[in-house]
């Protein structure tokens, strides 16, 4: 009797373990990259190695103490951003341009900045400046202490990959063409242990696919797509972020003048 | 029997380590005030995983034995900041419990910002009413959690 129970328990254990492991491997099976793939899908180990190689290429160009001009375009699913507002009650538009002038130190950290959030038509929504360890959002007149922070040029690609893999995510890579240029596409798929009900959606979210496009020449991440997967098997693009400008550049007098701006007492 | 229990335990441990999302939680300092002579407290905080997060607001008195007429908040926001810029904000309207000592509200969303100096924050206005007196504790500025 005891022997029979032991065998049943062992079978259950193997079955449970297989189910759980399938949950992770299933990410690869449902990876959209497989369907659109013009080349071979790389394994996670190869993808991680390529991520490091591309990072080294990128860092050769930006790890110097200087001013960097960094501009991105963010598109949020109009349904998700509907009704959302900034602190002054102004609606958050589905498309925003984020223009930053970052002053980097020798550790590649931002210690001064002048930043703008703009509409697609170039209208300023917010302007802010950081100097002397004080961040000041000029538009909302909010000031607070701030420490230098790492210069994030890659839409947090490396950090997110490392953190998500620790949570059971899978990473795959494919060589593709994007905007008529060769590109590497990395798909990071995290499937939640249990579906999560977020305020944003009426349906429970079961996972998140983050799709990064990297320019192999510069090593820069040129595009990030965040795709939400729901427990009912459907999915939707939540947001897209695109790199517009990343270059070392002289900010000019108009931008530098922000560092001298006095906050009204 | 011990072997059977061991097998179930082993399976459970595998399940926990392979499918659970790692969550991190941090909170603001507790801020204090008083209404109608009764001590009240206000706190906010965040819980994050690699792709989602929740911001919470908590209004309470000194303990379950001390209730007040109305306890809650007028509003709260969960915000994503990129250094000195507000990248995204969710607004939540007021909520309250009556003749109670504790109420907590939570807002959840995907993490959307991927920028230098990215911070998740909660702002809000705590509200306490008792015996005709009203006390607000408001944080409209980005307090670190």
């Amino acid at each position: 009797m005891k022997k029979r129970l032991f065998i049943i328990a062992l079978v259950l254990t193997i079955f449970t373990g297989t189910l759980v492991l399938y949950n992770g491997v299933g990410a690869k099976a449902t990876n959209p990259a497989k369907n659109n793939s013009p080349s071979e899908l790389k394994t996670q180990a190869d993808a991680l190695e390529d991520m490091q190689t591309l990072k080294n290429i990128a860092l050769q160009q930006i790890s110097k103490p200087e001013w960097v001009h960094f501009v991105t375009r963010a598109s949020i699913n109009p349904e998700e951003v509907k009704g959302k507002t900034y602190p002054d009650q102004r609606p958050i538009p589905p498309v925003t341009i984020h223009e930053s002038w970052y002053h980097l130190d020798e550790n590649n950290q931002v210690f001064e900045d002048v930043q703008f959030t703009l509409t697609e038509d170039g209208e300023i929504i917010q302007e802010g400046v950081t100097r002397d360890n004080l961040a000041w959002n000029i538009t909302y007149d909010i000031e607070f202490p701030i420490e230098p922070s790492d210069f994030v040029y890659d839409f947090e690609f490396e950090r997110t990959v490392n953190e998500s893999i620790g949570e059971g995510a899978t990473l795959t890579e494919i060589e593709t063409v994007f905007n008529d240029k060769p590109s590497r596409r990395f798909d990071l798929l995290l499937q939640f242990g249990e579906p999560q009900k977020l305020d944003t959606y009426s349906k429970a979210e079961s996972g998140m696919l983050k799709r990064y496009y990297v320019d192999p020449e510069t090593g820069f991440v040129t595009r990030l797509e965040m795709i939400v997967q729901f427990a009912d098997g459907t999915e939707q693009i939540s947001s897209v972020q695109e790199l517009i400008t990343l270059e070392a550049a002289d900010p000019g007098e108009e931008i530098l003048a922000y560092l001298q701006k006095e906050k009204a007492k | 029997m011990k072997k059977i229990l061991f097998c179930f335990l082993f399976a459970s441990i595998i399940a926990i380590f392979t499918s659970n999302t790692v969550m991190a939680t941090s909170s603001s300092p507790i801020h204090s005030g008083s209404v109608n002579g009764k001590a009240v407290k206000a706190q906010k905080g965040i819980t994050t995983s690699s792709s989602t997060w929740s911001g919470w607001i908590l209004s309470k008195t000194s303990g379950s034995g001390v209730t007040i007429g109305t306890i809650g908040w007028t509003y709260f926001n969960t915000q994503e900041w990129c250094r000195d810029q507000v990248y995204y904000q969710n607004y939540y309207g007021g909520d309250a419990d009556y003749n109670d000592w504790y109420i907590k509200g939570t807002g959840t969303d995907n993490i959307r910002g991927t920028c230098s100096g990215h911070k998740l924050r909660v702002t809000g206005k705590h509200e306490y009413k008792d015996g005709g007196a009203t006390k607000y504790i408001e944080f409209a500025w980005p307090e670190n959690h």
Side-chain angles (χ1 to χ4, degrees):
Chain A
M1 183 65 177
K2 276 186 179 175
K3 196 175 177 183
R4 189 176 288 172
L5 277 172
F6 174 70
I7 290 167
I8 291 169
L10 195 62
V11 168
L12 276 173
T13 304
I14 292 166
F15 179 69
T16 312
T18 307
L19 270 182
V20 166
L21 288 173
Y22 177 78
N23 197 32
V25 176
K28 282 182 187 170
T30 58
N31 193 330
K34 216 171 186 180
N35 297 327
N36 305 326
S37 139
S39 73
E40 197 182 334
L41 196 66
K42 292 192 179 182
T43 63
Q44 182 157 298
D46 288 342
L48 286 169
E49 196 176 318
D50 286 353
M51 183 180 77
Q52 281 305 316
T53 305
L54 291 164
K55 176 191 170 183
N56 292 338
I57 293 170
L59 285 180
Q60 283 171 11
Q61 300 159 79
I62 54 174
S63 54
K64 295 170 195 150
E66 59 194 352
W67 280 94
V68 171
H69 190 208
F70 185 60
V71 185
T72 61
R73 181 180 190 272
S75 313
I76 300 174
N77 187 313
E79 283 302 310
E80 294 182 23
V81 78
K82 202 172 170 181
K84 306 294 180 190
T85 58
Y86 288 111
D88 59 359
Q89 309 307 316
R90 183 174 176 167
I92 300 176
V95 177
T96 45
I97 306 297
H98 302 269
E99 179 175 10
S100 301
W101 287 91
Y102 290 135
H103 200 182
L104 308 184
D105 65 16
E106 61 278 5
N107 299 315
N108 219 30
Q109 289 204 309
V110 182
F111 71 100
E112 287 181 328
D113 73 52
V114 177
Q115 295 193 102
F116 305 93
T117 302
L118 308 143
T119 65
E120 212 175 7
D121 299 328
E123 185 190 345
I124 293 177
I125 299 171
Q126 291 176 66
E127 51 185 1
V129 58
T130 295
R131 68 275 166 99
D132 303 325
N133 292 326
L134 277 177
W136 176 26
N137 184 302
I138 298 166
T139 306
Y140 310 132
D141 197 20
I142 298 172
E143 190 177 52
F144 53 94
I146 193 169
E147 296 294 321
S149 55
D150 290 339
F151 171 41
V152 177
Y153 66 92
D154 65 350
F155 297 119
E156 294 195 318
F157 178 34
E158 187 191 19
R159 190 196 63 77
T160 306
V161 165
N162 291 334
E163 194 176 314
S164 301
I165 283 177
E167 295 180 7
T170 56
L171 179 71
T172 54
E173 180 194 355
I174 196 165
E175 288 179 23
T176 186
V177 174
F178 184 71
N179 280 347
D180 298 326
K181 286 181 70 182
S183 182
R184 303 285 184 85
R185 197 184 84 194
F186 294 80
D187 281 3
L188 179 68
L189 178 60
L190 177 64
Q191 290 181 319
F192 306 147
E194 294 286 331
Q196 295 179 23
K197 181 67 188 72
L198 305 184
D199 298 330
T200 312
Y201 311 108
S202 58
K203 299 184 283 188
E205 188 175 331
S206 60
M208 170 73 82
L209 171 64
K210 294 186 179 177
R211 177 167 285 167
Y212 299 87
Y213 290 82
V214 185
D215 182 334
E217 267 184 39
T218 61
F220 295 160
V221 179
T222 55
R223 181 181 172 95
L224 162 62
E225 298 169 359
M226 292 193 193
I227 301 161
V228 174
Q229 299 188 329
F230 297 106
D232 66 1
T234 58
E235 60 183 33
Q236 77 177 40
I237 295 179
S238 174
S239 67
V240 176
Q241 295 179 61
E242 297 162 285
L243 176 65
I244 297 173
T245 304
L246 171 49
E247 61 183 7
D250 180 352
E253 282 180 21
E254 194 182 339
I255 294 299
L256 290 174
Y258 274 89
L259 299 176
Q260 310 303 323
K261 271 198 179 219
E262 291 289 331
K263 189 177 181 307
K265 299 292 177 192
Chain B
M1 200 53 139
K2 278 183 183 173
K3 283 179 184 171
I4 297 166
L5 285 173
F6 174 76
C7 286
F8 276 118
L9 192 64
F10 182 66
S12 303
I13 289 169
I14 288 176
I16 288 166
F17 276 93
T18 55
S19 66
N20 267 19
T21 302
V22 179
M23 307 295 276
T25 301
S26 59
S27 54
S28 71
I30 297 172
H31 300 274
S32 301
S34 70
V35 61
N36 196 27
K38 297 173 182 174
V40 293
K41 296 177 181 180
Q43 194 176 23
K44 295 175 296 300
I46 59 170
T47 302
T48 61
S49 71
S50 66
S51 70
T52 63
W53 76 292
S54 60
W56 53 263
I57 183 168
L58 168 65
S59 300
K60 62 180 182 178
T61 68
S62 55
S64 57
V66 183
T67 60
I68 58 174
T70 304
I71 185 164
W73 51 85
T74 313
Y75 73 90
F76 76 95
N77 296 308
T78 59
Q79 297 177 335
E80 292 192 43
W81 282 75
C82 294
R83 293 184 64 81
D84 45 58
Q85 302 285 288
V86 178
Y87 184 79
Y88 202 76
Q89 174 174 275
N90 289 299
Y91 169 87
Y92 296 90
D95 196 6
D97 278 345
Y98 305 98
N99 300 312
D100 209 340
W101 75 280
Y102 177 104
I103 181 170
K104 186 177 181 180
T106 304
T108 56
D109 200 358
N110 292 311
I111 295 174
R112 297 169 180 279
T114 56
C115 50
S116 300
H118 183 241
K119 293 281 183 194
L120 303 167
R121 292 174 168 130
V122 183
T123 61
K125 188 174 182 180
H126 301 257
E127 187 175 320
Y128 313 86
K129 290 181 181 173
D130 194 59
T134 301
K135 171 71 179 177
Y136 295 108
I137 301 177
E138 183 169 17
F139 299 97
W141 47 278
E143 185 180 33
N144 279 323
H145 302 304

